[in-house]
Amino acid sequence: MQKSLPSALAVALVAALSLTGCSSADADEGNLEWGKCPKDVAAPGIDCTTLKVPLDYKKSDGKTIEIAVSRLASKNPDKRHGVLLTNSGGPGGQTLTMPATLKKLGVPQSVLDTYDVIGIDPRGVGHSTPVTCGLEATEHPSNIPTYARTETDVTAEAKRVQAVAEKCAKSKTAGILPYITTANTARDMDRVREALGESKISYYGISYGTYLGSVYTTMFPKRSDRVFLDSVTGPGGWNEAFVRKFGEGFQNRFPDFAVFAAAQNEKYGLGDTPEAVEEKYFELAKKLDAKPSPEGYTGQAFRQVTFSSFYYDAELPNLAEIWKALDTGKPVPKPSGGAEGDAAAGSSGIPSDNYLASQLHVICNDSDWPEDIAAYARNVKEDRKRFPMFGAAGADITPCAFWPSEPVEAPVKITDNGPSNVLMLQNLRDNATPLSGAREMRAALGDRARMVTADQGGHLAYKYLDNKCANDIVTEFLLTGDRPSKDTACGKN
């Protein structure tokens, strides 16, 4: 039976949160009362509030939930163009902190002066009304499917993830489970727009947030101003087709690590050529499949930590050290991070499994996932051949196959109906949202969009990586709304 990540590895992916109260307002009041932020959000210049929105938009007078909102107000009202709503991805990522994060990243002050930058914890997430599945960290420690070596592994994983889905169905927040969807989050965003007193909103979303932004501007095209999407999913969001792209993204990104490790072979001993480093990957995976390391690294954990470390170039040295330790039998350093993980909230009032629970709610509710275990076994067999390094993970079965709720509505179809006001930015070698998915989104949006590609690897681009060409194009768009007349390729910095 395929094992979960060792508990030490799961704990290494969590972060502590704390919670205090926010001021509140109803969405239909047309205004918000700003006050102090929760302790984990509090930062100079950041205000917070909450507002009530319908749980089910088909029953607008029925049960309501709370949405938490933050604001970094423009310090130059004469330059203010409007509001810039943001989303930090996930799904499940808390976004109340994003306005302060953008400032820390070095987003130009001219951009911050152009907008009131708005963060929203999406429904089900963080300081908004949170959901839980009552999961312990070791029950479902990662948002990436496990690597299945055989059909037997798929069957064993099916039993594990079915238990996860059953816990979600029986959790204390099961009553709101069916309504945690991307379409409803987009409707919440429009309630925030209304409460802010704005006729239109601009938008900046990363990773899954690119899908949310695409859904919003499809549902509310006339209420969308400047829409910026960084590291773009496909037009179906996180559905079965998207998750299978993780194998492709791993293969695209691996050469960056192989070149890095080979150039420092004297330090790491992983191979003096990129080809030798690739051989070392398969050697270590096979070795750990047969016998886990003393720290509990299985072949699955090794593959997953490698994928997770591909998110940012800054994590490649630590990844090389992990490989070296596993190769030589030395103590293994902790993973440095990578993919966003579960948030351990302690006594804050936010369930400790909220990140992964809210993510499951969104991705399982957004799409009608296959329920046939044999279908996943066939996909694993196919993707193991197509993308031998990680394809058998992306294609493996997840709790969505056993989800207790059918989608409450059909997925939003992304189209080219609406103003030409979308700018997409995409790294060529993104392991998490591969280029092929971004191209599919570009095709779906048609003339509404322009896409800028950057010759670099990893996840996220604007101000996360120092590519002057890409950064300048995005900054100009956020300041003026001007975009390149055609899709543009930025080279290496």
Side-chain angles (χ1 to χ4, degrees):
M1 180 175 179
Q2 198 79 11
K3 293 182 179 180
S4 302
L5 280 175
S7 59
L9 301 182
V11 171
L13 296 176
V14 303
L17 301 171
S18 58
L19 176 67
T20 61
C22 296
S23 299
S24 64
D26 291 328
D28 56 7
E29 289 179 355
N31 62 77
L32 292 170
E33 297 177 6
W34 298 97
K36 292 183 179 180
C37 291
K39 290 181 180 179
D40 61 308
V41 179
I46 306 296
D47 300 314
C48 290
T49 188
T50 61
L51 70 154
K52 295 178 181 178
V53 298
L55 173 64
D56 181 357
Y57 276 88
K58 295 178 181 177
K59 300 176 181 178
S60 57
D61 295 330
K63 183 176 180 179
T64 62
I65 56 174
E66 284 196 335
I67 301 298
V69 185
S70 65
R71 177 186 66 176
L72 175 62
S74 169
K75 293 183 178 180
N76 193 331
D78 293 337
K79 289 187 177 181
R80 184 182 181 278
H81 175 73
V83 296
L84 180 69
L85 270 66
T86 60
N87 183 270
S88 63
Q94 288 187 253
T95 301
L96 284 188
T97 57
M98 194 164 176
T101 297
L102 295 182
K103 186 174 183 179
K104 290 179 182 178
L105 282 173
V107 170
Q109 187 61 44
S110 56
V111 172
L112 302 180
D113 286 343
T114 302
Y115 304 96
D116 289 347
V117 183
I118 305 298
I120 305 171
D121 275 0
R123 58 171 51 207
V125 174
H127 298 289
S128 294
T129 300
V131 295
T132 180
C133 289
L135 298 170
E136 300 295 332
T138 54
E139 288 182 285
H140 195 62
S142 174
N143 55 359
I144 308 300
T146 61
Y147 186 94
R149 297 163 296 172
T150 65
E151 184 175 344
T152 300
D153 284 346
V154 178
T155 302
E157 182 67 358
K159 293 180 181 179
R160 188 189 73 79
V161 298
Q162 183 175 9
V164 170
E166 289 173 352
K167 290 199 75 170
C168 295
K170 298 174 182 177
S171 79
K172 63 183 181 181
T173 60
I176 64 176
L177 179 150
Y179 305 102
I180 309 299
T181 68
T182 297
N184 277 336
T185 298
R187 295 179 179 108
D188 296 341
M189 287 170 53
D190 203 54
R191 288 296 183 100
V192 172
R193 174 201 59 79
E194 180 182 7
L196 290 168
E198 300 287 337
S199 60
K200 293 184 177 182
I201 60 169
S202 293
Y203 180 82
Y204 172 12
I206 60 177
S207 194
Y208 158 80
T210 65
Y211 177 60
L212 173 59
S214 300
V215 167
Y216 180 85
T217 198
T218 296
M219 294 175 67
F220 305 103
K222 295 182 179 180
R223 300 173 190 171
S224 307
D225 194 359
R226 302 164 189 171
V227 179
F228 170 49
L229 311 177
D230 183 341
S231 304
V232 187
T233 69
W238 190 319
N239 58 9
E240 183 197 14
F242 171 78
V243 74
R244 290 183 69 179
K245 288 184 181 293
F246 288 152
E248 175 187 346
F250 190 107
Q251 301 274 159
N252 292 344
R253 175 62 162 152
F254 188 85
D256 291 335
F257 174 70
V259 169
F260 165 81
Q264 301 190 58
N265 185 49
E266 290 188 7
K267 180 176 182 179
Y268 299 118
L270 302 177
D272 57 4
T273 66
E275 293 77 14
V277 176
E278 182 174 332
E279 290 178 8
K280 180 62 68 175
Y281 172 81
F282 288 108
E283 175 189 323
L284 287 173
K286 183 177 181 180
K287 169 186 171 182
L288 294 166
D289 280 337
K291 183 180 180 181
S293 76
E295 295 87 356
Y297 267 89
T298 60
Q300 191 276 123
F302 165 72
R303 295 178 181 96
Q304 189 173 67
V305 168
T306 299
F307 177 89
S308 178
S309 299
F310 282 174
Y311 273 58
Y312 310 111
D313 283 348
E315 296 178 11
L316 299 186
N318 190 66
L319 177 61
E321 292 287 358
I322 291 174
W323 279 37
K324 178 181 178 180
L326 291 170
D327 190 37
T328 60
K330 300 292 179 62
V332 181
K334 291 182 179 180
S336 56
E340 296 157 297
D342 185 16
S347 60
S348 70
I350 301 174
S352 62
D353 69 334
N354 179 245
Y355 178 86
L356 289 173
S358 59
Q359 183 171 95
L360 286 172
H361 282 56
V362 172
I363 65 177
C364 299
N365 287 334
D366 273 2
S367 303
D368 191 7
W369 289 72
E371 299 175 6
D372 182 8
I373 297 174
Y376 291 93
R378 290 192 295 270
N379 291 345
V380 163
K381 183 178 180 180
E382 177 182 334
D383 285 7
R384 189 184 299 110
K385 294 178 180 178
R386 291 200 304 155
F387 307 115
M389 305 188 91
F390 203 67
D396 201 3
I397 196 165
T398 75
C400 294
F402 304 98
W403 200 241
S405 172
E406 293 298 320
V408 295
E409 60 184 311
V412 175
K413 183 179 180 181
I414 307 300
T415 72
D416 59 357
N417 296 323
S420 187
N421 62 351
V422 180
L423 179 67
M424 301 167 53
L425 178 59
Q426 182 69 29
N427 292 334
L428 292 181
R429 299 177 299 281
D430 188 325
N431 58 303
T433 55
L435 179 62
S436 63
R439 285 174 170 162
E440 292 168 7
M441 180 70 86
R442 173 69 180 85
L445 288 167
D447 195 52
R448 294 202 65 187
R450 300 289 183 272
M451 184 161 76
V452 176
T453 54
D455 186 1
Q456 54 201 17
H459 193 50
L460 311 183
Y462 180 55
K463 292 300 177 182
Y464 288 84
L465 295 175
D466 190 23
N467 188 301
K468 187 176 186 303
C469 168
N471 286 343
D472 286 352
I473 291 173
V474 174
T475 297
E476 181 67 17
F477 174 68
L478 292 174
L479 289 176
T480 68
D482 293 339
R483 307 170 305 174
S485 60
K486 59 182 180 180
D487 291 351
T488 300
C490 288
K492 295 180 179 179
N493 210 34

